[in-house]
Amino acid sequence: MANSQSFSRPTDLPSWSALTAHAQQLKTRHIKDLFAEDDDRFNKFSIELPRILFDYSKNLITDETKAALLALAKESDIEAWRGKMFGGEHINATEDRAVMHVALRDKSSNPIMIDGLDARPAIDAELERMQKLSEKVRSGEWKGYTGKTITDVVSIGIGGSNLGPLMVTEALKVYGSKALKMHYVSNVDGVQIAEVLEGLNPETVLFVISSKTFTTQETMTNAKTAEQWFMAAAKDKSAIAKHFVAVSTNRKLVTAFGIGEENIFDMWDWVGGRFSLWSAIGLPIALAIGFDGFTDLLKGAYEMDLHFQQAPLEENAPVMMALVGIWNRNFLGYPAQALLPYDQCLHRFPAYMQQAEMESNGKHVNWAGEPISYGSVPLVWGEVGINGQHAFYQMLHQGTDIIPADFIGSVSPNTPVEGHHDALMANFFAQTQALMQGIDANQVRKELAAKGVSAERIEEIVLHKVHKGNRPTNTLLLPQVDAKTLGALIALYEHKIFVQGIIWRIHSFDQWGVELGKVLASAIQPELSADAKINPAHDASTRHLIAFYKNARK
Ligand code: F6P
């Protein structure tokens, strides 16, 4: 893949031209008419998996669209690239690494060859260590420096070393231990760690410092603060061994920080940060819901991996989800993608997926480094659906931009409360219907007239009440948010991201775009001390802002 000029650009593919022409025709159609014309539409445009019903029929697509999108997948060599990823090839070419988060959840007994070595023994060994630690802490066998049982876990990490464990432990809270409270610190803004530490007892806290590189400034600053807070009480350095564990690829830096070898959990450079919750980065998950729960999460993801590898493209949920996303983004020109869980458990899912999607596919050059002329990842954003209905859905229904949305709901809630779930799900079903069907002026007139509104008043307001509809959505219906289902759901999106990156011919597994800001921040930080000089080479805006800040802090 690296620097190769030999690959085909998507815009040169016959399917790309066909889709471009087809989109011009289809833009004049309405999804509700496509439903009226085809009784079999739901069956044609949905995929039922054991844990996820994926309905993409409320998109502006026809049989012809599907065929052309599948041709795009074929012409983009999706199957071959999928084989390269699962085969451990260095498809992360700019970092010269394999992309093998899938190895962490491979529940077969086959060897997993990465860089000429079978990675399975190392993966299994780390899993066993995770199991031991989580069982000891959860059972109360692991004691703090004064002999007390651990009651609180503070996970310190950011980005992929935070969002996954946080999202999953929130989602699976009902399966968690009531005796062990989970806390997460990611922000370098001291207010977060101060709030978390307030009220905690150093004798009963376990800190998990998670950082693939162990150089991330936010995490290191928080880890130091945690250590100082702890040492102020414990005094004796040897107590650290009972209260600090770390997950990292960088044993040297972890040891230098003061955490003993026995408390370091390994991960590997072939696990990308935003795909790392399956590794020991998932330790907070195992602590929260138990090792069996963590294993179920892996199993659910593995089921999706097998589906992704084995199902024909037209019945392959990640592939179809990716293709519909490409259709909406590149051929219909929609700029964003909303993620709307109708399940309170999934309230951190949009934030988690934002990193997965936008850090992976927010790229502007192709594999050869050439600027791309087509859109890559759309803006991914979202919020728990029912809250969104009373906030930003106005824009989804009547705004000037069309924003495709994924609606994710569950048949059974994790916490059933009489009278609530059907109320929630009625909205879930109604919203995708409303976004698709809309309501035209005649219907609005009829409804207002039936309510006794005067003809004059009707004409004054009718156009404001029109919804054009034709707004595409996917629906993902889950049986329940349990560990296996959640594992499958996350893996579904991971593979969708992979497929889209391949079609766009961009490098999905690096993240150079976050580096520049980090470099500039470390140059600016010393300038913020009272007597330091502000670099005259900064632009006038940055110079004045820093000067204003420093003056105000005097
Ligand atoms: O700055 C972005 C990033 O590198 C992410 O890709 C990563 O998930 C996060 O920072 C945290 O990195 P680390 O685990 O090395 O602390």
Side-chain angles (χ1 to χ4, degrees):
M1 203 194 268
N3 299 325
S4 153
Q5 301 289 332
S6 61
F7 61 87
S8 47
R9 278 67 178 159
T11 42
D12 292 341
L13 299 173
S15 55
W16 193 276
S17 315
L19 282 159
T20 308
H22 175 61
Q24 291 317 309
Q25 291 170 352
L26 216 52
K27 274 181 191 167
T28 60
R29 304 297 315 275
H30 199 291
I31 310 170
K32 76 174 177 209
D33 297 329
L34 302 177
F35 268 98
E37 286 164 19
D38 187 353
D39 281 349
D40 204 27
R41 187 171 172 83
F42 173 77
N43 290 327
K44 282 181 182 168
F45 302 129
S46 63
I47 298 173
E48 189 177 344
L49 302 177
R51 300 183 193 284
I52 300 172
L53 171 60
F54 170 48
D55 171 21
Y56 58 97
S57 62
K58 290 195 186 90
N59 280 280
L60 187 60
I61 54 169
T62 60
D63 295 333
E64 193 183 337
T65 326
K66 186 172 172 180
L69 286 169
L70 286 163
L72 176 63
K74 284 266 177 217
E75 288 168 14
S76 308
D77 291 325
I78 291 301
E79 288 148 308
W81 281 107
R82 181 183 62 192
K84 288 179 204 237
M85 177 171 74
F86 280 91
E89 288 192 34
H90 281 208
I91 64 167
N92 176 358
T94 51
E95 295 181 323
D96 195 14
R97 291 174 184 167
V99 174
M100 282 300 274
H101 49 279
V102 290
L104 301 164
R105 57 211 194 199
D106 182 330
K107 295 291 160 204
S108 73
S109 50
N110 304 329
I112 303 168
M113 299 310 290
I114 307 176
D115 299 329
L117 285 176
D118 181 7
R120 189 177 289 284
I123 294 169
D124 287 347
E126 259 355 76
L127 282 171
E128 205 181 307
R129 295 182 63 221
M130 284 171 76
Q131 177 169 15
K132 276 196 186 133
L133 179 83
S134 56
E135 285 175 355
K136 275 190 186 167
V137 172
R138 285 168 62 85
S139 68
E141 188 189 332
W142 181 288
K143 303 285 186 213
Y145 72 99
T146 56
K148 290 189 180 157
T149 302
I150 301 297
T151 57
D152 295 85
V153 173
V154 179
S155 164
I156 297 180
I158 195 164
S161 298
N162 160 260
L163 288 163
L166 171 60
M167 182 272 283
V168 173
T169 49
E170 283 293 298
L172 302 177
K173 214 186 256 170
V174 329
Y175 307 97
S177 152
K178 299 266 178 292
L180 197 59
K181 286 192 211 71
M182 305 300 298
H183 311 266
Y184 288 89
V185 176
S186 53
N187 201 334
V188 76
D189 184 336
V191 78
Q192 194 183 22
I193 193 156
E195 277 176 10
V196 165
L197 294 180
E198 197 181 293
L200 292 188
N201 178 355
E203 297 166 72
T204 59
V205 177
L206 178 69
F207 290 97
V208 181
I209 317 293
S210 300
S211 174
K212 180 174 168 181
T213 54
F214 227 72
T215 57
T216 306
Q217 189 228 19
E218 295 87 338
T219 301
M220 292 307 107
T221 307
N222 281 319
K224 254 184 232 136
T225 301
E227 192 214 2
Q228 281 161 5
W229 173 86
F230 175 76
M231 285 307 295
K235 313 281 190 242
D236 180 358
K237 278 253 172 209
S238 70
I240 294 236
K242 299 196 161 96
H243 294 270
F244 282 78
V245 300
V247 186
S248 185
T249 54
N250 199 333
R251 277 192 164 249
K252 209 164 144 205
L253 288 185
V254 183
T255 319
F257 180 86
I259 297 179
E261 290 277 342
E262 68 290 354
N263 281 358
I264 305 175
F265 289 80
D266 288 317
M267 60 185 291
W268 304 273
D269 70 1
W270 40 262
V271 183
R274 53 194 172 273
F275 302 97
S276 64
L277 69 84
W278 320 103
S279 71
I281 291 289
L283 186 59
I285 303 172
L287 285 162
I289 63 167
F291 190 75
D292 288 348
F294 183 69
T295 306
D296 279 347
L297 188 78
L298 301 182
K299 282 185 184 160
Y302 179 56
E303 280 176 18
M304 185 56 71
D305 294 342
L306 292 178
H307 166 77
F308 178 50
Q309 286 176 282
Q310 293 166 2
L313 297 186
E314 64 276 18
E315 290 160 26
N316 196 307
V319 171
M320 288 315 304
M321 198 181 193
L323 291 174
V324 169
I326 296 257
W327 170 248
N328 285 332
R329 174 75 177 127
N330 298 115
F331 301 99
L332 299 180
Y334 302 146
Q337 169 70 54
L339 293 181
L340 307 169
Y342 276 65
D343 193 317
Q344 185 61 30
C345 301
L346 294 175
H347 73 109
R348 296 300 293 165
F349 190 76
Y352 173 77
M353 273 307 152
Q354 263 181 339
Q355 188 201 13
E357 295 236 17
M358 293 166 79
E359 201 168 81
S360 298
N361 285 340
K363 311 287 163 66
H364 72 301
V365 294
N366 67 13
W367 292 337
E370 303 158 342
I372 52 176
S373 58
Y374 42 87
S376 59
V377 77
L379 167 68
V380 177
W381 60 286
E383 172 58 271
V384 167
I386 203 85
N387 293 348
Q389 281 181 215
H390 298 272
F392 54 79
Y393 274 37
Q394 166 62 38
M395 185 264 198
L396 296 186
H397 285 284
Q398 287 187 313
T400 49
D401 285 296
I402 293 186
I403 312 293
D406 287 357
F407 282 70
I408 307 172
S410 316
V411 173
S412 304
N414 274 353
T415 309
V417 180
E418 185 66 34
H420 283 246
H421 197 60
D422 284 349
L424 173 71
M425 293 306 282
N427 280 279
F428 175 78
F429 296 121
Q431 285 296 326
T432 60
Q433 200 176 34
L435 285 162
M436 186 266 283
Q437 287 180 346
I439 179 164
D440 65 21
N442 285 338
Q443 262 174 291
V444 174
R445 283 192 185 95
K446 260 193 226 154
E447 285 177 14
L448 290 174
K451 284 186 188 151
V453 180
S454 72
E456 196 189 352
R457 182 70 185 142
I458 290 176
E459 288 316 310
E460 274 169 14
I461 60 174
V462 61
L463 295 180
H464 300 278
K465 294 186 72 116
V466 166
H467 294 224
K468 286 191 188 150
N470 216 14
R471 298 187 175 226
T473 57
N474 289 323
T475 298
L476 291 101
L477 199 47
L478 321 173
Q480 185 165 359
V481 180
D482 58 17
K484 279 192 186 156
T485 302
L486 184 59
L489 179 72
I490 301 166
L492 166 65
Y493 275 89
E494 285 181 349
H495 295 320
K496 167 204 149 173
I497 291 165
F498 167 79
V499 171
Q500 292 189 333
I502 297 294
I503 291 176
W504 286 324
R505 297 313 202 214
I506 56 178
H507 285 303
S508 300
F509 298 100
D510 62 23
Q511 54 284 318
W512 304 107
V514 298
E515 293 307 322
L516 178 61
K518 290 185 192 173
V519 171
L520 297 189
S522 39
I524 287 174
Q525 192 170 344
E527 296 174 34
L528 300 184
S529 2
D531 43 4
K533 258 187 72 189
I534 300 171
N535 185 349
H538 288 316
D539 60 86
S541 161
T542 307
R543 256 183 1 248
H544 279 93
L545 289 169
I546 296 175
F548 183 93
Y549 170 83
K550 289 177 71 169
N551 266 337
R553 278 177 65 87
K554 268 183 192 157

